[in-house]
Each structure stands twice: as C-alpha cells, then as structure tokens.
Amino acid sequence: MEDSYRLQKHETAQAGLVLAEAFQDDPVFNAIFKGATPEQWVAFFTAPVVYCLKYGQVIAPSAQMEGVAAWVPGKYADMDFFRMLFSGAMWAGMKLGMDIARKLKLVFGPIEKDRKAHLQGRNYLYLQLIGVAPQYQGLGLGGKLLAALFAESEQKGLPIYLETETDKNVQIYQHLGFEVLKKATLPLIGLPMWEMIREPAG
C-alpha cells in the first residue's frame, strides 16, 4: 500500500462525506435513504469507515482523499453491536435514527446470511466500501484503491468478497477477476444486489 494514503482517525468524518457523495446516485442507497437528511447519509458511511479503521484497512489514493476503500478480514465482516461499540462506530451509527437502522437490518439481513453461507469455514477479505468522489471519477483512482486490496489478497492467499448493486459495477469487477456467486433481490426495496468473489491467483 506504498502508493496509497492510510486514513487517520480524525479523518473518518471526511471519508464519510466523500463516500456519501460517491454513492449519491446509487439506486439501493437512494431507496433506503429516501427522505433522509445529508447528516444521516454521511453517518451511514462514516460508521463502517470507523469500524474498518479498527479492524482492517481504510485507504485513499492520496491525502486529498479523492476516494476511499475500506475492508476487513472476514471474521470481522459482521458489524455486531459490541464490535461497533468497541470500535467507536456506534456513535456515528446512532445518528441514523431507529427507523433507518431497522430498514437497513431488513434490507441487508439476507445478504449477510448469504455471505456466511458462501464463505463458511474460509478466511477472506471483505470489501465493506469503495467509492470515488464524483469530480475524480474516471481517472483510475478506484483501480488504484483496489490494487492495494488485491496485493493483500495475493500476499495472504485470501479471496476477496464484496456486494455491488449495479450492472455496470458487476462488469467492472468481472473484468478484474471477480465472479458472481448470486444475484439477490433485496427485501423491502426490491432491488438487485450481486454477491461476488475473487480468488487469489496463487
């Protein structure tokens, strides 16, 4: 990760803002956060950044934070109550409000079950989030962030698992060596999400 910038604890809110902007046109999050405030959007993305800073890796292309990628070892993929509390992610999560928190649990609950079923008994890296601010998209910065994740995957001999919610993203990830394990339909909002894996070359 020599070519990437490792985020510091005081930069998590800024990272949440960058990710909220990156996902502003995302169909799934627009459905979930319909009517939500900008602060709730930012809080949603800040929480996993704080979490991954504790249990995994959070990087940007540079100190300018044009984009953010955050991942954890598979054993930390589930952001349960005690891990969120211990990592400090709980404080950002509380800003979401109970209604959105319940909605998130309903929408993503089956996705979490699928992940456990797909990777039962395996060690892996879980890409929680990756996004590039709109003004920097199309410059190859997402690929730069993924390169750091791929390097860790190859070094440790671990597969990478992720979920994505658009056909365009699926095609990009397939080009980078990911395969689709399942195309799921998210409850409550009725939108698709693809569950994908990339095995290490070795």
Side-chain angles (χ1 to χ4, degrees):
M1 285 184 285
E2 292 83 3
D3 293 333
S4 301
Y5 175 76
R6 284 193 171 203
L7 265 70
Q8 306 299 309
K9 196 169 184 180
H10 68 276
E11 297 173 309
T12 54
Q14 183 185 351
L17 179 59
V18 169
L19 288 164
E21 292 175 349
F23 282 87
Q24 64 186 359
D25 296 322
D26 184 275
V28 167
F29 293 114
N30 270 291
I32 292 172
F33 286 94
K34 186 177 181 180
T37 66
E39 290 76 15
Q40 287 173 311
W41 269 84
V42 173
F44 171 77
F45 291 103
T46 301
V49 169
V50 174
Y51 183 87
C52 291
L53 201 61
K54 172 67 178 177
Y55 295 111
Q57 305 281 354
V58 184
I59 63 170
S62 75
Q64 293 182 14
M65 209 181 301
E66 306 94 331
V68 176
W71 65 87
V72 290
K75 65 181 180 179
Y76 296 114
D78 291 337
M79 294 174 60
D80 65 31
F81 176 84
F82 289 105
R83 289 174 183 166
M84 286 192 68
L85 185 64
F86 188 65
S87 67
M90 183 67 70
W91 309 116
M94 287 174 63
K95 296 177 182 178
L96 289 172
M98 290 303 296
D99 288 343
I100 291 179
R102 279 192 292 265
K103 197 172 185 180
L104 287 166
K105 188 173 182 179
L106 287 171
V107 171
F108 292 119
I111 296 296
E112 293 179 3
K113 289 180 182 178
D114 285 348
R115 186 170 64 242
K116 291 176 183 177
H118 291 318
L119 291 155
Q120 188 174 15
R122 296 191 68 185
N123 293 325
Y124 62 99
L125 299 173
Y126 177 53
L127 181 60
Q128 283 265 13
L129 284 169
I130 182 168
V132 175
Q135 66 269 33
Y136 295 110
Q137 291 176 8
L139 302 177
L141 297 178
K144 181 178 179 179
L145 294 172
L146 285 171
L149 174 57
F150 292 168
E152 184 173 338
S153 169
E154 298 299 334
Q155 181 186 19
K156 295 181 177 179
L158 297 176
I160 301 166
Y161 187 87
L162 60 80
E163 298 103 4
T164 193
E165 49 271 15
T166 68
D167 279 305
K168 180 182 178 182
N169 287 349
V170 171
Q171 293 173 24
I172 292 171
Y173 286 128
Q174 285 177 324
H175 181 71
L176 293 170
F178 286 84
E179 62 174 296
V180 175
L181 296 178
K182 180 180 178 180
K183 180 182 178 181
T185 300
L186 298 173
L188 204 64
I189 60 175
L191 293 172
M193 181 164 274
W194 288 262
E195 302 161 359
M196 307 186 73
I197 194 168
R198 183 185 189 270
E199 300 286 350

